[in-house]
Amino acid sequence: MTEQDPPASPATPAAAAPLGRLRSLLPDLTPWRSSRDFRRMWMAGLVTVFGSFLTFVALPVQLKELTGSALAVGAIGAVELVPLIVFGLWGGALADALDRRKLILWTEAGLGVLSGLLLLNTLLPHPLVWPLYVVAGLVSALTGLQRPALQSIVPRIVAHDQLPAAIALNTMRWQVGAIAGPSLAGVIIAFGGLEWAYALDIASYAISVLLTVGLAASPAAHDAEKPSLRGILDGARYAWNRKELLGTYAVDMAAMFFAFPNAVFPFLADDLDARWALGLMYAAGAIGSLAVSLTSGWVSRIHRHGRMVAGAALAWGAAMALAGWMDSIWLVLVMLALAGAADTVSGLFRSAMWDQTIPDELRGRLAGIELLSYSVGPQLGQVRAGGMAALTNVRASVWAGGLACVASVGLLALALPKLLSYDQRTDEHAVRMRERRARATEVAEAA
């Protein structure tokens, strides 16, 4: 090297540009660094999601062992659906009327107790079947009570402009659990038995409770309404009058109803002569979702959230249609992964619209309504997929559902122009929420 040669340095523009582009794709960790409560909630959620997937796998396995009936295993979904709907709506009203931290804490402890009941039943000389259904229904009820509080507390502990990044980090946490949790559950059940799966789930809830205890209090507003049916209806009316929000609910319901074919995956695997790939078919969507979350640094720079919601739902339907047409299992897996990626993009921007525009005093009730949109849709979608496969064939059920999704989402986008025109920089509700958060921050700093 001569004296005139500049020293090699990663700070030079030629080297810095690729590094800058790479960093812009990586997840934005700002919420993690800036909010202690967000860190605690994220870690508690990571521990819990692993434990929950242990029971998610163990419960149907145990029912299969005890009954040998596919109908008995499938009945779990029916037992869980109604409590999730009823208690999800009521949980939204409670989240607006009570301390959200306490609601999360007590429901988390209750879920741990229910896992304990599953363990006790498993340790009996002759485990009983009926407690499995009772506990499944109670778990669904407590989940419905907890979920609105979990979602509605995030805007209180994360800065307004950091909410998209926080949503992406929470989504990534769930996806890691969705991929690794069932795999871990299979190993534990095979080598340790069902009792170990339930015991580890109990331990995960104990750790989560300890982390949740350290959260700051999150009390309701002094003028908060008491939980009531009237309050729930007030939340529904608010959602109805916000056509861009209504559009997010409707698009998600349509996408899940028409293009959620998980129930027919075993039959699709047989049709493709690829039974060995059934597990990969279930995991492919989560893998695609995780890929989006790991490269989610761009999310905070997007402002037209409604267009992203609708566009991603169209991509979801198109990918499912292509999956139904493909004859190669590998191409089917690629399409399912792309569908999972599209679903995550839609979910990220749906959540950003909700969290950045819904007033704090209504956020719990709106989270309860949101719970309906993403829980009822998949349940009904599996019924649609199975029924259409019985009437036609499994491939037609998949590709026709994908095309119906594309058509329905397109019609909804045309019928609800406010969804496509939404811009979080100029939307009156988003601007009002930013101003409220800014004033609250000023008051807190002055105090």
Side-chain angles (χ1 to χ4, degrees):
M1 177 184 294
T2 66
E3 293 181 1
Q4 288 76 29
D5 290 332
S9 170
T12 60
L19 288 175
R21 286 193 292 269
L22 177 60
R23 291 192 189 99
S24 70
L25 290 176
L26 295 176
D28 184 354
L29 300 179
T30 306
W32 174 276
R33 291 193 294 264
S34 61
S35 173
R36 167 186 171 275
D37 280 351
F38 180 78
R39 288 195 298 274
R40 295 185 76 92
M41 282 195 63
W42 196 93
M43 290 187 290
L46 181 64
V47 172
T48 299
V49 76
F50 271 96
S52 298
F53 270 108
L54 294 177
T55 295
F56 176 79
V57 174
L59 189 60
V61 168
Q62 188 169 24
L63 268 173
K64 178 178 178 293
E65 291 180 355
L66 294 176
T67 68
S69 168
L71 181 62
V73 176
I76 294 177
V79 169
E80 293 172 337
L81 182 58
V82 173
L84 187 64
I85 293 173
V86 173
F87 287 91
L89 289 172
W90 188 246
L94 290 176
D96 287 335
L98 303 176
D99 186 313
R100 291 171 185 170
R101 168 187 164 276
K102 289 182 179 178
L103 186 56
I104 294 169
L105 179 62
W106 287 110
T107 50
E108 194 79 349
L111 288 167
V113 170
L114 292 176
S115 292
L117 294 178
L118 290 174
L119 176 60
L120 290 176
N121 181 61
T122 304
L123 294 174
L124 293 175
H126 302 287
L128 303 172
V129 171
W130 66 265
L132 303 183
Y133 290 108
V134 172
V135 171
L138 292 174
V139 167
S140 186
L142 283 181
T143 299
L145 289 176
Q146 184 189 72
R147 194 76 62 81
L150 275 174
Q151 180 178 324
S152 59
I153 200 174
V154 174
R156 288 188 174 183
I157 62 177
V158 174
H160 184 84
D161 60 343
Q162 295 174 17
L163 284 172
I167 294 165
L169 290 173
N170 282 338
T171 302
M172 180 176 65
R173 176 193 66 195
W174 185 89
Q175 291 154 352
V176 170
I179 296 170
S183 302
L184 180 63
V187 173
I188 290 173
I189 293 170
F191 292 97
L194 291 163
E195 59 272 20
W196 274 101
Y198 293 136
L200 289 173
D201 192 17
I202 296 168
S204 75
Y205 281 117
I207 295 170
S208 178
V209 166
L210 291 174
L211 288 167
T212 305
V213 167
L215 295 177
S218 184
H222 68 280
D223 55 349
E225 299 180 28
K226 292 183 178 180
S228 65
L229 178 60
R230 178 182 177 181
I232 294 173
L233 292 176
D234 287 342
R237 279 192 291 270
Y238 176 86
W240 179 262
N241 292 325
R242 290 278 309 278
K243 299 307 180 187
E244 67 277 21
L245 290 184
L246 186 64
T248 65
Y249 298 134
V251 164
D252 187 45
M253 285 283 287
M256 294 296 104
F257 176 74
F258 287 114
F260 190 79
N262 288 28
V264 299
F265 278 175
F267 304 96
L268 183 59
D270 287 346
D271 190 76
L272 294 166
D273 194 25
R275 291 184 179 181
W276 56 270
L278 179 59
L280 291 176
M281 292 173 70
Y282 282 111
I287 292 171
S289 297
L290 182 60
V292 170
S293 295
L294 291 175
T295 57
S296 60
W298 54 274
V299 170
S300 299
R301 298 190 292 275
I302 302 295
H303 307 291
R304 307 298 289 268
H305 297 167
R307 292 185 180 184
M308 296 298 294
V309 169
L314 290 171
W316 158 271
M320 285 300 183
L322 289 171
W325 281 322
M326 298 296 180
D327 293 321
S328 165
I329 181 60
W330 295 109
L331 291 177
V332 169
L333 292 173
V334 170
M335 290 302 108
L336 294 177
L338 291 175
D343 184 47
T344 296
V345 171
S346 181
L348 288 175
F349 289 101
R350 281 198 313 272
S351 298
M353 285 181 66
W354 296 333
D355 287 349
Q356 290 186 327
T357 66
I358 296 172
D360 187 71
E361 61 273 13
L362 286 169
R363 190 168 283 126
R365 279 165 283 180
L366 270 292
I369 294 172
E370 175 212 340
L371 181 61
L372 296 187
S373 76
Y374 67 70
S375 60
V376 175
Q379 295 284 355
L380 295 178
Q382 298 201 71
V383 174
R384 195 258 351 140
M388 190 170 180
L391 291 173
T392 57
N393 59 70
V394 64
R395 303 285 288 275
S397 174
V398 177
W399 67 254
L403 291 181
C405 168
V406 171
S408 60
V409 170
L411 291 173
L412 285 168
L414 292 175
L416 296 166
K418 284 193 174 181
L419 175 65
L420 297 185
S421 64
Y422 174 86
D423 188 327
Q424 66 95 16
R425 295 168 297 185
T426 57
D427 177 78
E428 60 176 315
H429 303 284
V431 171
R432 191 178 303 126
M433 286 297 297
R434 280 197 298 273
E435 292 174 347
R436 289 177 63 175
R437 290 294 300 272
R439 286 196 296 271
T441 301
E442 290 175 0
V443 171
E445 291 176 350

